[in-house]
Amino acid sequence: MDFTAFLDGFALVVEPKNLLYCLAGVLIGMIIGVLPGLGPAATIAILLPITYTIDPVSAIIMLAGIYYGAQYGGTITSVLLRLPGEASSVVTVFDGFALAKQGKAGTALGIAAIGSFVGATISIVGLTLLAPVVASVALDFGPPEYAALALLGVLLVATIGSGNKLKALIAGTIGLLLATVGRDSFSGASRFTFDSLQLADGIDFVVVAMGLFGVGEILYNLEQRHRKVQPPTKVGNVWPSKAELKQSSGAIGRGSIIGFVLGVLPGGGAVLSSIVAYATEKRRSKTPERFGRGAIEGVAAPETANNAAATSSFIPLLTIGLPANATMAMLFGALLILGVSPGPQLVTEHPDVFWGVINSMYIGNILLLILSIPLVGLFVRILRVRPAILAPITALITILGVYTINNSVFDIYLMVAFGVIGYLMKKAGFDPGPMVLAFVLGSIIESSTRRSLLIFGGDATGFFTRPISGVILAIFILLIALPVIRHLMSARKAKAESADPAEKVGV
């Protein structure tokens, strides 16, 4: 590592002009995160023409700020309104919204801000020290590894739901089926489109998420208010207590590591990292029944992980020129337009861009923490708004968010249909979370599995012959087998204990 170039990068970032662009980026990112539907990738695409007249370093600093700023912005609506703007924020809904209903929305947003800052900072340190090494390891991941990892993610979906595991598996299966709707990317054949041109390109994530969580929640709450009068939610402290910080410290530490490692992988690193971090905390907990009902670790772990993943996703982009997700692809295009080629030569040919972007993240995350903590009290005031006013506002946000994706009225009708499904699921005791997450992972599984089978010539055993995919699949099989083994062992133990008294009587 060249410490001179590293320090020069800091000197570049602290210039007033670049500080202003960094501040503008994280502010725009937070606002975009609060408004579901638009997303950082679309925002960067809209703002791309503005960057033509800006210095390359300043432009990339601003665009990068939009990306990681949006990660925290999505937390606000996930906690307060049960509206995840990004796929990586779905897991936060489970405990974040439950805490908000208990009057602890401030605590949830506060711990999310702290976790996001810690996770992102640890990831930036890793990015600074290990970028070339980690990028070389990421190159070993091909379609078989992505397929195995996504399959493991689907299995973990069953453990993160707050309800019955069987119901979570059923919801996950429906999510996988929904992921197949649209035109087959390999053959071009239409699947489950019912001759509808609007479904030819598949169903967008935002349509599913906004329908199941947003509209479904509105319908369910309207019914509940007709049955009984609920007192307004009391808003407690907007800062986590020492006990809550201590309780969340382990989740934040583990979420940082999980997010950093999985964020490097293309195709859903932030989504997988939030799922894995949440599932890890639930499995480690001595009281897993708290999760989904307002566990502070259930907010700290996924929020830390997805922010760490958002930062580490810059590693493959900057070091080997490989975009890890749609937003990174937009940044890749922005760099090319500005005359900078991402890849192994970036550090030597454009050290100002490389170290300028990395070092701007240190300052950008400090700015986010400074901005978000004082604003937590302001965000929490949303809960004091009367339900009669809040419900139409929530409905308007969902409609605008869905319409801006494709400027399609059909998407709004589709969202309402998913809203009715979400309402019925909640009435029947099904958690919509596993369905949404499985929907996101479904396309990754299908495309990666089919590409893998083409590589292996149709031989499925090829997944086990590659070291990384073989290990991941072994973990997958072990996780399936463990509950069966535990059940058999407990049944055998119970049988032995029931036989002991009879043997003693015989003696």
Side-chain angles (χ1 to χ4, degrees):
M1 174 181 164
D2 188 349
F3 280 99
T4 304
F6 175 73
L7 293 174
D8 288 343
F10 258 121
L12 190 65
V13 174
V14 295
E15 290 179 6
K17 177 184 69 172
N18 289 329
L19 283 175
L20 187 62
Y21 279 115
C22 186
L23 177 62
V26 296
L27 267 175
I28 294 170
M30 279 186 69
I31 295 167
I32 292 306
V34 170
L35 300 172
L38 194 55
T43 306
I44 291 171
I46 293 167
L47 295 177
L48 208 52
I50 299 173
T51 63
Y52 297 163
T53 56
I54 304 175
D55 177 70
V57 177
S58 303
I60 298 302
I61 285 174
M62 182 182 73
L63 296 179
I66 291 172
Y67 178 47
Y68 56 82
Q71 297 299 317
Y72 180 73
T75 309
I76 298 166
T77 50
S78 292
V79 171
L80 300 181
L81 302 175
R82 206 168 185 251
L83 294 177
E86 295 288 321
S88 57
S89 300
V90 172
V91 183
T92 308
V93 165
F94 302 147
D95 289 279
F97 189 68
L99 284 167
K101 289 200 293 186
Q102 296 168 18
K104 297 181 179 179
T107 301
L109 291 174
I111 206 70
I114 294 167
S116 298
F117 173 75
V118 173
T121 303
I122 290 174
S123 193
I124 298 165
V125 173
L127 174 62
T128 304
L129 300 174
L130 304 172
V133 178
V134 176
S136 64
V137 174
L139 283 173
D140 293 332
F141 270 74
E145 285 72 27
Y146 297 140
L149 198 61
L151 189 65
L152 181 62
V154 170
L155 178 64
L156 293 175
V157 160
T159 69
I160 64 176
S162 58
N164 184 284
K165 285 188 178 181
L166 178 60
K167 289 183 176 180
L169 281 171
I170 293 170
T173 303
I174 296 170
L176 290 174
L177 289 172
L178 286 172
T180 64
V181 174
R183 192 180 291 109
D184 188 335
S185 57
F186 285 80
S187 66
S190 295
R191 302 179 302 185
F192 308 113
T193 60
F194 305 101
D195 296 325
S196 170
L197 290 175
Q198 288 91 343
L199 289 174
D201 292 327
I203 304 170
D204 196 276
F205 156 76
V206 176
V207 175
V208 179
M210 293 299 100
L212 291 176
F213 288 113
V215 178
E217 187 68 25
I218 293 170
L219 294 174
Y220 186 78
N221 286 340
L222 285 173
E223 182 189 47
Q224 294 302 308
R225 279 199 280 287
H226 281 298
R227 288 185 177 179
K228 57 182 179 180
V229 178
Q230 292 182 338
T233 305
K234 293 182 179 179
V235 178
N237 189 15
V238 297
W239 184 258
S241 65
K242 287 184 178 179
E244 287 166 333
L245 286 170
K246 185 178 179 181
Q247 189 178 1
S248 304
S249 59
I252 290 172
R254 286 183 289 272
S256 300
I257 296 169
I258 291 169
F260 176 77
V261 173
L262 295 183
V264 178
L265 308 177
V271 179
L272 280 172
S273 64
S274 61
I275 295 172
V276 173
Y278 188 92
T280 300
E281 294 310 310
K282 189 172 181 180
R283 285 182 177 277
R284 283 180 55 88
S285 177
K286 295 179 180 178
T287 53
E289 65 278 0
R290 293 187 304 111
F291 284 76
R293 295 178 174 84
I296 194 71
E297 308 98 296
V299 174
E303 281 304 307
T304 303
N306 65 31
N307 278 270
T311 303
S312 64
S313 62
F314 280 86
I315 291 177
L317 174 71
L318 297 176
T319 57
I320 57 178
L322 180 65
N325 50 52
T327 308
M328 289 296 107
M330 291 305 307
L331 284 170
F332 181 85
L335 284 165
L336 292 177
I337 290 169
L338 295 168
V340 178
S341 297
Q345 303 303 316
L346 182 64
V347 182
T348 53
E349 292 179 359
H350 299 280
D352 54 338
V353 174
F354 183 83
W355 292 112
V357 171
I358 291 176
N359 293 339
S360 72
M361 294 181 194
Y362 287 104
I363 294 172
N365 277 285
I366 292 171
L367 289 173
L368 270 175
L369 187 67
I370 293 170
L371 287 169
S372 58
I373 293 297
L375 289 175
V376 165
L378 179 63
F379 294 143
V380 167
R381 288 180 184 273
I382 293 172
L383 292 177
R384 299 178 187 232
V385 179
R386 288 188 294 116
I389 298 172
L390 191 58
I393 292 173
T394 306
L396 182 63
I397 291 172
T398 58
I399 291 169
L400 287 174
V402 167
Y403 183 76
T404 53
I405 303 166
N406 299 311
N407 295 331
S408 169
V409 177
F410 178 79
D411 284 348
I412 297 174
Y413 293 142
L414 203 58
M415 178 192 69
V416 173
F418 277 111
V420 174
I421 292 170
Y423 162 74
L424 294 174
M425 286 178 72
K426 195 159 186 178
K427 290 273 290 180
F430 284 83
D431 192 336
M435 180 173 163
V436 177
L437 291 168
F439 172 76
V440 173
L441 295 172
S443 58
I444 301 173
I445 292 175
E446 183 187 12
S447 60
S448 299
T449 301
R450 293 175 71 175
R451 286 193 179 97
S452 302
L453 290 173
L454 287 173
I455 293 169
F456 301 141
D459 184 8
T461 59
F463 286 98
F464 295 92
T465 59
R466 291 170 66 111
I468 299 176
S469 61
V471 169
I472 296 171
L473 288 173
I475 294 170
F476 175 82
I477 293 167
L478 183 64
L479 288 174
I480 291 177
L482 271 176
V484 179
I485 294 168
R486 283 177 184 169
H487 177 72
L488 291 173
M489 287 179 68
S490 60
R492 188 175 179 181
K493 186 178 178 181
K495 187 177 180 180
E497 287 176 354
S498 63
D500 283 344
E503 289 176 3
K504 288 178 182 178
V505 170
V507 171

